[in-house]
Amino acid sequence: WVLNYIGSTYYYSGMNDSAFYYHSQALDIRLTIDDEKGLGASYNNLGNIYDDQGKSALALNYYLKALSYFEKIEFTNGVGIVYNSLGNLYYTQKKIDLSLYYYQKSLENQLKLNNTLGIIHAYNNIAIMYDEKKDLKKALEYYTKALVLAEKAENTGDQITCLNNIGQLYITQKE
C-alpha cells in the first residue's frame, strides 16, 4: 500500500511520470500476491493517469479492469470510485450522456454506502452534466441537493463549491 500512497501523492502533485512509476510498481506486487482489492485500486489509479494524459483508450481499459476486480469481490466503494472515474473520462471526451450515466451509477453506490462526501460529489457531478445539457432546472436541483447535504455535514469546502456552482448557474440564466 505504501507504493500506492506514494504514487497518489505524486499524482495529486501533478507529477504523472513519478505517479505512474509507483503505481506500476504497486500493480506488479499486487499481481504477484493476487491482491484483488489492491489490483482494482492500482488499475483505477493508472487509468486516472492515462486519462490525464489524454490516452482515453488506455484509461478505459484500465478502468474496466478495475471495475472487474471490484465487482468480483463485491467492493461497493471501489465500484463507485470506478464509475466516477468513467464519468470523468467520458466528460473529458464530451460524451455527456455517458458521463451522466456513470455519475448516476456512482451516486447509487454512494447512497448504498451512506457516504456523505461521495453523495455530495456525485450530486455535483450530475448537476454539471445537466448544466452541460442546458437542463438548468435539473442542474439547480442537483446543486441544491449537494448544498443541503454539505450544510448538514458542516462541510465548508463543499458548501463553497456548491454555492459557486449555483451562482454560475444563475449567471448563465442572467439572473
Side-chain angles (χ1 to χ4, degrees):
W1 287 99
V2 173
L3 292 171
N4 185 58
Y5 289 124
I6 294 170
S8 294
T9 300
Y10 280 119
Y11 175 75
Y12 290 113
S13 299
M15 301 171 72
N16 280 344
D17 289 341
S18 295
F20 185 84
Y21 172 80
Y22 285 100
H23 283 306
S24 294
Q25 295 295 311
L27 177 63
D28 289 343
I29 291 169
R30 290 169 167 169
L31 283 167
T32 302
I33 62 173
D34 197 29
D35 173 10
E36 292 178 330
K37 186 175 180 182
L39 284 165
S42 287
Y43 282 124
N44 190 70
N45 291 333
L46 289 165
N48 288 338
I49 294 169
Y50 284 128
D51 189 16
D52 284 356
Q53 294 173 339
K55 298 176 181 175
S56 301
L58 283 170
L60 179 59
N61 183 41
Y62 276 73
Y63 290 147
L64 294 177
K65 286 180 181 182
L67 187 59
S68 171
Y69 279 103
F70 288 146
E71 286 177 338
K72 180 179 176 185
I73 61 170
E74 299 179 6
F75 182 47
T76 305
N77 189 46
V79 170
I81 289 168
V82 176
Y83 284 152
N84 188 71
S85 295
L86 287 164
N88 293 340
L89 173 71
Y90 288 119
Y91 179 59
T92 61
Q93 296 176 357
K94 301 298 179 202
K95 295 179 179 177
I96 303 306
D97 289 331
L98 270 173
S99 184
L100 178 59
Y101 171 79
Y102 282 107
Y103 286 145
Q104 289 171 329
K105 297 284 283 178
S106 179
L107 174 61
E108 289 172 20
N109 281 41
Q110 300 306 329
L111 288 168
K112 284 179 193 173
L113 295 167
N114 199 27
N115 178 358
T116 301
L117 186 60
I119 295 168
I120 292 168
H121 292 167
Y123 281 153
N124 260 313
N125 288 338
I126 291 168
I128 291 166
M129 294 307 98
Y130 280 119
D131 196 354
E132 290 282 334
K133 291 168 67 78
K134 306 297 183 213
D135 187 341
L136 304 182
K137 183 178 177 183
K138 279 285 220 192
L140 182 59
E141 175 188 334
Y142 279 93
Y143 284 139
T144 302
K145 285 182 178 185
L147 176 61
V148 168
L149 200 51
E151 288 173 343
K152 187 176 176 182
E154 298 180 4
N155 183 326
T156 306
D158 281 322
Q159 287 177 49
I160 292 167
T161 298
C162 293
L163 289 167
N164 182 60
N165 290 341
I166 290 169
Q168 290 299 317
L169 187 68
Y170 282 122
I171 288 171
T172 301
Q173 294 176 336
K174 298 186 183 339
E175 294 183 24

